[in-house]
Amino acid sequence: MYRDEMISEISMRCDIPVEDVAEVLEEEENIIEEEKYFKKRKKKMAFACCMATAVATACAAVYILNKKNKIDIEKAKTEIEKAKNEIEKMMKKYVDKVESKVEKIKNDYLPER
C-alpha cells in the first residue's frame, strides 16, 4: 500500500482529517530514522572502544616485554628497516622490468610520430 493510500484509508476509518494523519505518519518516520541513526552511532562507538582496547593492550604488552628485556625494540626497528629496503629493491626491479616491456611494446606496435 502506498503512503497516500494508507493516509486516506486511516483517515476514512478513524474519521481523522487527512492532514493530521499525514502529520502523524511523518513524525513517526522521523522518529524511526532518528532511532536508526542512534543505533548505528552506538555500534560505531562500541567498535571504536573495542579497537582502542586492543591497541592499548598491544602497547602495554610491548612495553612490559621491553622492560623485562624479552624483546629489543631497537633491534626490531632495524629488522623492519632491512625488510623495507629489500622490498623496495624487489619492487624497483619488477617496476623496471615492466617499464622496459611497456617501452618495447610501445616501440613495436605504435607508429612513429
Side-chain angles (χ1 to χ4, degrees), residues 59-72:
C59 290
V62 168
Y63 178 76
I64 290 169
L65 290 173
N66 188 38
K67 281 289 188 185
K68 293 184 176 184
N69 295 325
K70 299 284 183 181
I71 60 171
D72 187 11

Side-chain angles (χ1 to χ4, degrees), residues 4-45:
D4 295 334
E5 294 173 353
M6 186 170 61
I7 291 172
S8 62
E9 186 71 26
I10 292 171
S11 176
M12 286 188 323
R13 288 186 183 184
C14 299
D15 292 329
I16 301 174
V18 174
E19 296 83 23
D20 292 345
V21 173
E23 195 174 293
V24 168
L25 288 178
E26 183 72 29
E27 188 65 30
E28 181 185 29
E29 289 173 359
N30 290 339
I31 290 170
I32 291 170
E33 288 298 317
E34 193 173 302
E35 287 174 351
K36 286 181 183 178
Y37 169 77
F38 283 116
K39 187 176 181 180
K40 192 174 184 180
R41 186 168 180 231
K42 186 177 177 181
K43 280 184 178 180
K44 286 181 181 179
M45 291 298 289

